[in-house]
Amino acid sequence: QVQLVESGGDLVQAGASLTLSCAASGNTICISRMGWYRQVPGKERELVAFVHSSGTTHYANSRKGRFTVSRDNAKNTLYLQMNSLEPEDTAVYYCHAFYACSDSEYDYWGQGTQVTVSS
């Protein structure tokens, strides 16, 4: 079992920066990949970025350059640094962890944190 708790969502103006955090607890040793997704009402949840336990990162094309994902393995915490925020970045941001241990694989999700960017 893994628990994920996001924090850092806020209401900001366009052009501002914001850092989201996701604290993982439980059987974190089996987490191979952690990432951020976002969702707006009426649309599917979409990938923002993820990072492997090795440190390799992957970004959705539209977020390259403005967003930086990082992971502090000692603190079991995932971060998303977002710069030059745009109103189109307004969404609920969800933390995701891919759990792979023995023969078990599972996707864990946090409850989400709201980011609202005003123009």
Side-chain angles (χ1 to χ4, degrees):
Q1 287 282 348
V2 171
Q3 295 79 42
L4 304 172
V5 178
E6 303 102 332
S7 62
D10 205 351
L11 168 63
V12 297
Q13 291 189 334
S17 297
L18 201 59
T19 299
L20 305 182
S21 300
C22 172
S25 60
N27 196 5
T28 59
I29 195 171
C30 288
I31 295 176
S32 65
R33 186 177 76 235
M34 293 186 73
W36 292 97
Y37 289 73
R38 69 186 190 184
Q39 188 171 24
V40 298
K43 293 189 176 182
E44 291 187 356
R45 194 170 295 186
E46 62 177 8
L47 172 70
V48 176
F50 65 76
V51 54
H52 282 279
S53 56
S54 64
T56 303
T57 57
H58 174 83
Y59 295 87
N61 285 336
S62 61
R63 258 72 74 184
K64 282 184 180 178
R66 294 194 300 122
F67 291 6
T68 302
V69 64
S70 61
R71 180 175 173 180
D72 186 331
N73 290 325
K75 296 181 178 180
N76 293 317
T77 301
L78 179 74
Y79 302 97
L80 182 68
Q81 172 70 41
M82 303 184 291
N83 298 324
S84 302
L85 283 163
E86 304 169 352
E88 293 72 25
D89 295 317
T90 295
V92 178
Y93 285 71
Y94 294 93
C95 178
H96 168 263
F98 179 67
Y99 173 101
C101 215
S102 299
D103 294 327
S104 299
E105 293 183 350
Y106 197 76
D107 291 298
Y108 287 94
W109 296 92
Q111 291 188 327
T113 186
Q114 177 72 47
V115 173
T116 303
V117 184
S118 63
S119 57

